[in-house]
Structures are given as structure tokens and as C-alpha cells.
Amino acid sequence: MTDTASDISSDISSDIALAWTALGGDPALLSRVTTVERPGALPSRLPVRQLARACVGACALAAAELAARRAGLAEVPAVRIDDGAVAAAFHSERQLLVDGRAPVAFAPLSRFWRTADGWVRTHANYPHHRARLLGALGLPGDASAQDAAARLAERPALEVEEAVYGAGGLAVALRTPKEWAATEQAAEVAARPLVERAHLDATHARVFTPLGPGTAPLLPAAGLRVLDLTRVLAGPVATRTLALLGADVLRLDAPWLPELPDQHADTGFGKRSATLDLGTGRDAFEELLASADVVVTGYRPGTLDRFGLSPKALIARRPGLVVAQVSAWGAYGPWGARRGFDSLVQVATGIATTEGSAEEPGALPAQALDHGTGYLLAAAVLRSLTEQSYDGGGRSVRLALARTARWLTDGIRPARATGAPYGGPDAWLTETDGPLGRLRHARPPVAFAGGPAGWAAPPVPWGSEPARWR
């Protein structure tokens, strides 16, 4: 396969520069980025390839910047972004094989459905979401997809959306871009920056254990402890990336909410996995928090606040902490408390009609809102750590899938097709043996000179380790 690496072009530069600026990065560092363009990767009507490249590029540059700071390098290591590696990573949950078995994708009740006046999309991969969906439709727990289809065909899409949301389930009516733009939530999303950043205390500058200039590989997050309170998919992608870069990542889940096995295998590389009831295990959590450097949360806004896990509350108890949050719709507006997933955000924001039509909705070629937002979230953490090494202070960063969707639909210009054609993902896949079996998986797309080529450890079984630091 022929690589066509080039200095960052004006089209590419504008996309990565926008993300880098949103992260508070120094524009001069953009000259350290080169790319390998591969037309045909992530094909779509919207500029998904450009968005994916920009998110990964900004993350890799943030990693290289922090590596240079910790290793005392005179120059930030060169960053190289390959569209092929990015495309494979954005399909990571689809590329996974477990002992040769393909992953389980969407459940039967997670799909588009015709309604009396249009379409809705539902998400019911988890048992509790399936139960709430069926309850909202007045169907028994053993109802079939055919039963659901018949019931949904009788009701207007917006009525279904409200009824299912009211029952704690997930369903979103199909909207055109114009219809979404007319909503109050769209206005709230548009008013926010791509990356919301706040400086929340005045602690002293962070002092890192130096990385020697000859350290191999350069691990900018080495020695850092990350509490991972995330689920599906953006948050786990972010923390998987921090694990790649050397962080000690401990994922915590409620004991009664097991992660889907294949999803856990895909996003668990480099991490440890434990369960903890935040209601009864508060002392254990506080012990973890006392020596954490970063907390990443991915639950809907407000869910964790009752446990004292808002950014302000966390940083008050652990000065100098970096708190990173990701949600579907944003922590504001009438949809701020709603659950959501990538597929539903695509439907609400008009992406599904752009990729298909109002009569036959489509979808992006990957869960690009999840993956893109995940890499931006990791980048925001890395940039916060770099900033802390100069002027200290606890930091809060916040992203939303709906805001990333706005960037995709309104902020990125389609680029001309140049470079080597994309020949498929095989060149960017590898195999790893571990406790979950032999895994075929995508290689990490975040790459810079001297940086890691892969994760230090394969995923472990969900909830199999104690809730404590090493």
C-alpha cells in the first residue's frame, strides 16, 4: 500500500486548527502535523473523514505536546495522521473479533421504525432500556419486533418520542436539519463552543515526574490516575486513549449495570475494570478520588451530581483535579437531562435525512459522533494537564455529541479528494491474546514520533478487579 504523506494542507489545516483552537492550543504547533490522505475512507455525504481526521489529529498533537513538556524536549514530536488508521479506529466496535466471532451489534429493538407520520429511531441494547421502551408502548416484556412495529405504526413520531422519554427509554423522531435548527435545544447547542473549558481553582502548578528525553516509548500520561465513570461509547474511547498514553485507568460501573461484553472488549484495552455502588461505597470512592488526577464521566447531566460528583464538588475535595464530561445533548436546554446515543443524535439533528432522505433515513458510515467526541475529550484532558504544568488549577472540560454534530453539519467544508485510495481496514488491524480470548482489533490511530504503538495490556473481564489503585 502506497502512503502519500504530505504537509498539512489548507483544507486539513482549517479542520484540525478549529479543533486545536477549541482546545486552547498554540497555533504554531500545527506545523508539526502531517497527514496521509486516503479518499474512500469513511464515505458519506457529510465530511466525516475530515471530522475524524481533525479529532484524532488534535488528540495526537495534544499528546505530543504533553510528552515534550514532560520529557524536556526542545521540540514537540512530529504527529502523523493516516486516514486509514483513523477509519479503522472509527469502526473499532465493528472490526472486533473475539476468538473469530463477530461482535453482537444493535439489538432487534434498536432501529428505525415507521410511524403514522414519519420515522423514529429507538435504542434498546440494554435490558432496562428495552423494558422501558416496551412499557411506553404498552407492550409486554416478551413482545417481538413485529409487535413493536405494529404499535409504532399507529402513533405520530413526536408522540412516541415524548412517551418513551417520559418512561425513561430512548426514542427520537426523525427531523430534517431545518426542523432541528428550529428547536430550542439546537439553539442552545449552537451557542456553546465545541469544547467547553473552565478553570475552577487556584492550586499550584502540577509537578510531573519527568520523562527522560530518551524514554521509549514516550508516554505523556504515565503515572497519572484516571477514574473512568463512562459508558457507551465516546467516554470509553477517551479513556482507552488515555490508557494508550500511559495512564492508570480504573473503570467503575454500578454492579447492576454490566457493560455489553463486546463493547467492553473493544473499549477496555489498557484499563482495569471494577464495580462500585456509589450509594453504599462512598468511602471507597473518596479513597480513590483522594489520589486521582483525572475523573471522566459519561452519564447524562445531573445523574452523578446527587453523589457529589459535579466538577465543582469533585475539585473542592480534590484540588487540582481535571474533570472531563461528555453527554449526548449537552448539559443545558430542554433536552439537557435526556439520555442519548450517537445513532439518536444523528436522527434528531438532521444527519439521518442528509445521509438518506426524509422518506428513507440513512446513517453515517461509523458512529463518528461518538468516536470523534471521544478523541476530542481525551485531547481536552491532555491539554488541561499541559496547562496545569504552567499555571496550576483544577480544570473542567465538557463536550456533547450534539455539538460535534453541529460542527460536522455546519463547520467543516468538504475537501478535495487527494492521496492514495483507501484499500480497507486490514493494514490497521492486529490481534492480541488476553483473558477475553484472542481479539482482532483496530490499532490506535493516535500517533506521534516516539509514542506508543499499542496498549500495554488487553481488556480484562468486566468488573473483575478490586476498586483500588495499584
Side-chain angles (χ1 to χ4, degrees):
M1 182 176 294
T2 301
D3 288 351
T4 306
S6 61
D7 290 331
I8 194 164
S9 71
S10 59
D11 285 339
I12 298 169
S13 177
S14 65
D15 299 332
I16 297 182
L18 193 152
W20 189 240
T21 299
L23 293 163
D26 179 358
L29 295 183
L30 290 165
S31 64
R32 303 300 296 153
V33 180
T34 59
T35 65
V36 178
E37 297 183 65
R38 299 190 188 277
L42 298 173
S44 60
R45 294 177 181 176
L46 289 166
V48 173
R49 181 165 59 104
Q50 292 91 310
L51 175 133
R53 182 199 296 138
C55 294
V56 173
C59 185
L61 187 54
E65 177 191 34
L66 182 56
R69 175 68 172 160
R70 294 192 64 185
L73 303 178
E75 189 173 43
V76 169
V79 170
R80 185 176 185 268
I81 302 302
D82 191 311
D83 282 353
V86 172
F90 269 56
H91 285 118
S92 65
E93 70 279 2
R94 302 183 194 178
Q95 302 299 345
L96 180 75
L97 293 180
V98 181
D99 289 332
R101 174 186 60 78
V104 176
F106 287 103
L109 298 188
S110 296
R111 47 170 272 198
F112 281 107
W113 308 85
R114 283 197 177 275
T115 64
D117 60 352
W119 294 87
V120 295
R121 174 126 194 186
T122 56
H123 195 289
N125 284 4
Y126 291 93
H128 58 295
H129 291 156
R130 173 190 164 89
R132 292 168 185 171
L133 171 64
L134 292 175
L137 298 178
L139 293 171
D142 60 353
S144 67
Q146 291 75 20
D147 296 331
R151 188 63 53 88
L152 286 161
E154 300 170 348
R155 303 175 66 175
L158 289 175
E159 179 185 297
V160 171
E161 177 182 281
E162 290 300 320
V164 175
Y165 165 66
L170 294 118
V172 170
L174 180 71
R175 290 170 172 82
T176 65
K178 184 177 180 180
E179 289 169 340
W180 170 248
T183 67
E184 183 180 346
Q185 189 64 29
E188 292 278 0
V189 168
R192 265 64 178 194
L194 180 62
V195 181
E196 297 180 74
R197 304 161 58 237
H199 193 159
L200 295 183
D201 71 13
T203 53
H204 296 297
R206 179 182 291 274
V207 178
F208 288 108
T209 302
L211 301 175
T215 302
L218 277 174
L219 297 173
L224 297 173
R225 288 172 166 174
V226 177
L227 276 178
D228 179 1
L229 308 178
T230 71
R231 294 173 71 85
V232 202
L233 181 63
V237 166
T239 51
R240 182 182 66 185
T241 303
L242 296 175
L244 167 74
L245 299 171
D248 180 5
V249 178
L250 177 61
R251 174 163 165 168
L252 296 177
D253 285 285
W256 58 87
L257 283 178
E259 185 56 278
L260 301 173
D262 292 337
Q263 193 158 264
H264 173 73
D266 173 51
T267 60
F269 282 89
K271 306 179 191 180
R272 291 181 298 123
S273 175
T275 60
L276 185 66
D277 183 336
L278 293 177
T280 61
R282 186 58 176 268
D283 289 345
F285 179 83
E286 293 301 320
E287 185 175 342
L288 291 168
L289 178 64
S291 57
D293 299 288
V294 178
V295 174
V296 186
T297 71
Y299 291 79
R300 63 191 173 97
T303 300
L304 298 177
D305 290 9
R306 70 181 187 275
F307 298 108
L309 301 184
S310 69
K312 287 185 179 180
L314 287 167
I315 291 173
R317 302 201 302 280
R318 174 64 169 158
L321 189 70
V322 174
V323 182
Q325 298 174 292
V326 63
S327 64
W329 309 106
Y332 39 74
W335 286 31
R338 291 196 179 194
R339 298 172 177 85
F341 293 97
D342 180 305
S343 57
L344 303 184
V345 176
Q346 290 188 41
V347 171
T349 60
I351 289 173
T353 58
T354 299
E355 291 295 322
S357 67
E359 292 71 37
E360 195 68 36
L364 297 177
Q367 294 187 67
L369 305 180
D370 262 333
H371 286 275
T373 305
Y375 287 108
L376 283 179
L377 190 68
V381 170
L382 296 166
R383 288 246 58 256
S384 294
L385 293 167
T386 297
E387 290 174 347
Q388 282 186 333
S389 71
Y390 291 100
D391 58 12
R395 297 296 206 281
S396 171
V397 296
R398 190 166 66 184
L399 289 91
L401 304 189
R403 183 60 184 84
T404 304
R406 177 175 170 78
W407 184 32
L408 173 64
T409 56
D410 298 319
I412 297 180
R413 295 175 301 169
R416 59 186 182 276
T418 61
Y422 178 59
D426 289 353
W428 297 281
L429 301 179
T430 189
E431 293 190 347
T432 299
D433 289 317
L436 301 182
R438 186 164 186 81
L439 305 181
R440 187 197 74 174
H441 60 94
R443 299 177 188 273
V446 172
F448 58 93
W455 291 273
V460 299
W462 180 85
S464 62
E465 299 188 320
R468 61 173 181 261
W469 298 118
R470 289 192 178 98

